[in-house]
Amino acid sequence: MANTEIKTIKLLPLKGAVVFPSVSTSLDVGRGKSIKALENAMASNQLVFLTNQKDVTITDPGKDDVHDMGTVAHIKQLVKMPNGAVRAFVDGKYRAKLHVFIDRGEYLEAEIERIPVEDAESLTTIASIRTLKEVFEDFRNHFRNSPDDEIERILALEDFHQMVDQLTSILPIPHEKQQELLEVTDLNERIIALIKVINFEKEINQLKNKIDQDVKTSIDAHQREFYLREQMKVIQTELSGKDGRSDDAKELSEKLIAAEMPEEVYTRAMKELDRFNTVPQSSPESAVIRTYLTWLSDLPWSKQSKGIIDLKRVQAILDQDHYGLDKVKERIIEFLAVQKLTKSLKAPIICLVGPPGVGKTSLAKSIARATKREFVRVSLGGVRDEAEIRGHRRTYIGAMPGRIIQGIKKAGTNNPVFLLDEIDKMSSDFRGDPSSAMLEVLDPEQNHTFSDHYIEEAFDLSKVMFIATANSLSGIPSPLRDRMEIIEVSSYTEIEKFHIAKNHLVPKQLKQHGLPKAKVQFQAESLKTIIQYYTREAGVRSLERQIGTVCRKITRKFVENKSSSVDISPTTITDLLGKKQFEHRNSETESLVGVAMGLAYTSFGGDILQIEVSLCKGKGKLELTGKLGDVMKESAQTAFSYVRANAAKLGIAENFYEKTDIHIHVPEGAVPKDGPSAGITITTALVSALTNKPVNKDIGMTGEVTLRGRVLPIGGLKEKSISAHRSGLKTIICPKKNEKDLDDIPQMVKDEIKYIFVTDVEEVLQLALLEK
Ligand code: ADP
């Protein structure tokens, strides 16, 4: 064969590199034998046989250590490198096969056979080349090793041999793979092999990219967090000039130790403190833990006040602070005596019940002062949610302990007098029943381990002296009522109010306004004027306020005119307080037809209640106006039915309702009237209207009435009597069954009012209706 020639030529074994025909490259050569081979070749025909070593670690390879298929290259230039190596710039010429491996000692030589290059222009080849180009085009995205224009140049080559070889040589594939491709002598086969390699690489690449991506994302997330934390640390240190967190933690830890909390709470606190140290300081979590720990350290776990009970002292202080209230004081002293003797607070809790302003709060304050305890007051009015008593769980944003724990913190000791104000104004809804939480607070068997949702650790409430207040008993859920010792504090009569004002309120207000006691004189009459015309209440709260107003105005006079002393007369009062605010609803000046005076009992104390009935032509319609509660409407219906049923006996035409409309009205709108005790009053007014007999103006009445006319007992006779007395009524008609209540009524009232006890409404009518 013309092309087949055997040639002896210098041999250069390559480590991990494959040189293809038509490819120009440079080779760094370090081995002595190889340098010699190059130099010798350079000196003769400038050709060298480049063959790839099978094992790159062998320094002095023999025949079996090199691949048979290699490339004959033309050496263009040899450059000596500073380290003694030589860089050879070579152009690959053709494939050749090694036949004889000759070791000349100084260098290696080979007898080789040139592999002929067949014609490439077959249709199959052209088709294969197209496929190759397509496949390669896809692969280019993953192909970053060679510049684009180099690739373009290669793909544009018209000689397919050159194109395929050059493409193979720039592919980023292991040299073993390149060697395999070098060994394929048939062009078409080589193209197919190359396509396969590219496809394989493509898949590998895709897989690798995916793996890279996965690994990268996870590393990215971690790195990001790490990086941010480091940055945060630097910022914090920069800002505070020191490591802020450790300072905080130290302070908290000192406070926690100082709080002398029970062992288990302390362990818990320390755990939280550890957590505090690990979470990033700027995270919301950190703030939550800090607030929690601050709460724990602020609670008086073991701080107590002396809490002595000296009955004489208590009596003295109660007397000093309050006028009258003898029975109430007595009950309080008895209650404390029991506690002193049993040395425990496992007695029921005191509940002071009475209208506003009668001194419930101030009694509790006096008890605290007398027993040398701290005093806290928590209002339960309007509390609907159990969480308000027991706190929110810490998982809520902005969670807080409940009012009990807040109160304890405010007290600063674990045995204060704790006033639960307006316990009757709690209500329950879907958020839970606060009274069940209150039960736990007030139950001496349970409250030594009271657990607040926020604090989570049990707090001992058993040393706290709870005192509750309420305006009316009816608002207190009965399980709660059972746990309390009820002490009623009732309204004051005008005389009592006068004494309270004179002995307590005036000196208190003078002192508060910085007025010298000796120079300001309230005349007795002026105090009475304030009581009668400027206040209408069961207690003395607005009385105190009005006295305060007077004092304020006097103070101004003192400052402006430098007046030396003031004597306050009733005229001064009208000057200072303006027009009279309340004309006392006194009894009528004349006895009228269809107008009867009832007595009402509200949570604000007693009041008189005028009921009017008028008749007009009609068809028996019963009209009710004024602020009547449901119960009162029923009373009106009952009265109407009674009158219809007993018309003949009462001297009324039996068919009166066929031609008459009846209108019942309760003029005074200020009092919520919701009791049945207006029964006899409505009946009296109705019969008076129908019989045209006037009702005795001096009589007030109260009593529930049944359909058959029986009079049933009512509540609040004391309050009602006081208001009747205030209004100038002379006689009170009330149910027989209320006779026992006379004991409670102030003597002064009893002296001036005549009580008549009845069992039937007929008696009432006989007493109240005057003959025409
Ligand atoms: P409550 O709690 O019953 O609504 P407070 O205790 O607030 O009433 O009383 C209102 C004001 O009236 C307080 O300043 C209180 O000292 C005063 N007060 C009430 N009753 C008396 C009393 N019997 N003696 C002296 N001051 C009284």
Side-chain angles (χ1 to χ4, degrees), residues 33 93 104 167 188 250 401 483 688 736 751:
K33 268 185 172 175
K93 287 295 174 196
R104 299 258 180 233
L167 211 49
N188 215 20
K250 204 169 137 229
R483 282 183 170 66
S688 157
K736 180 93 180 147
D751 288 346

Side-chain angles (χ1 to χ4, degrees), residues 56-75:
V56 295
T57 57
I58 294 172
T59 39
D60 195 7
K63 169 149 192 342
D64 293 337
D65 299 323
V66 294
H67 288 286
D68 286 347
M69 188 62 83
T71 303
V72 170
H74 172 246
I75 308 167

Side-chain angles (χ1 to χ4, degrees), residues 123-180:
L123 284 176
T124 331
T125 318
I126 295 172
S128 309
I129 285 288
R130 284 198 186 158
T131 317
L132 172 66
K133 281 186 175 173
E134 279 166 21
V135 171
F136 183 77
E137 207 46 53
D138 276 357
F139 185 55
R140 255 166 90 149
N141 303 332
H142 308 280
F143 197 90
R144 298 194 198 92
N145 282 7
S146 299
D148 249 12
D149 46 355
E150 169 72 355
I151 295 170
E152 288 307 323
R153 186 191 60 76
I154 295 174
L155 292 177
L157 284 173
E158 283 177 4
D159 182 331
F160 292 160
H161 285 283
Q162 288 185 4
M163 188 172 117
V164 173
D165 282 344
Q166 290 190 17
L167 211 49
T168 315
S169 85
I170 60 163
L171 278 187
I173 53 173
H175 63 267
E176 288 87 357
K177 274 253 161 74
Q178 286 188 326
Q179 180 67 36
E180 278 170 26

Side-chain angles (χ1 to χ4, degrees), residues 279-297:
V279 299
Q281 202 175 4
S282 57
S283 71
E285 177 89 9
S286 168
V288 169
I289 305 177
R290 182 209 304 265
T291 322
Y292 177 66
L293 288 176
T294 313
W295 267 102
L296 283 190
S297 63

Side-chain angles (χ1 to χ4, degrees), residues 73-89:
H74 172 246
I75 308 167
K76 284 195 294 194
Q77 201 185 357
L78 290 179
V79 178
K80 277 212 159 50
M81 308 292 284
N83 57 1
V86 168
R87 178 166 294 170
F89 295 90

Side-chain angles (χ1 to χ4, degrees), residues 70 227 283 352 381 383 517 524:
Y227 176 72
S283 71
L352 300 168
V383 168
K517 217 169 161 184

Side-chain angles (χ1 to χ4, degrees), residues 601-616:
Y601 176 45
T602 70
S603 59
F604 304 103
D607 204 349
I608 57 168
L609 177 76
Q610 198 182 45
I611 291 177
E612 295 176 351
V613 174
S614 75
L615 307 174
C616 49

